[in-house]
């Protein structure tokens, strides 16, 4: 239980460091949405959705915490 809380805190901290659009993209991906669906939800191109998912060090940390998205 303590390990789960620590992991949850790490994910929350990493996500809070992201700009709003990147945070939204990572959260939507963690919910199982495809890059195309994320693009539609955020009003960007699929290419831009991919960039939002993969461009920051904080996003790298968040992806590792939520299972390598």
């Amino acid at each position: 239980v303590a390990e789960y809380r620590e992991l949850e805190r790490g994910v929350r901290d990493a996500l809070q460091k992201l700009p709003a659009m990147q945070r939204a993209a990572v959260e939507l991906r963690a919910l199982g949405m495809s890059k195309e669906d994320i693009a539609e939800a955020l009003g960007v191109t699929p290419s831009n959705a991919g960039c939002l998912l993969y461009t920051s060090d904080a996003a790298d940390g968040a992806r590792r915490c939520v299972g390598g998205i």
Side-chain angles (χ1 to χ4, degrees), residues 7 10 13-14 19 22 27 32-33 43 48-49 51 54 57 60 63:
L7 176 62
D13 291 347
Q22 273 188 316
E27 290 172 342
M33 291 182 75
N48 285 343
C51 289
Y54 297 105
D57 291 341
D60 288 342
R63 283 197 300 278

Side-chain angles (χ1 to χ4, degrees), residues 3-43:
E3 289 177 10
Y4 176 78
R5 286 188 192 132
E6 184 178 333
L7 176 62
E8 183 179 18
R9 189 178 13 243
V11 169
R12 188 174 39 246
D13 291 347
L15 287 172
Q16 288 176 349
K17 293 177 183 177
L18 296 174
M21 288 288 280
Q22 273 188 316
R23 183 172 52 250
V26 170
E27 290 172 342
L28 292 171
R29 185 65 162 206
L31 292 172
M33 291 182 75
S34 70
K35 186 169 55 170
E36 291 75 18
D37 290 339
I38 293 168
E40 186 175 330
L42 298 179

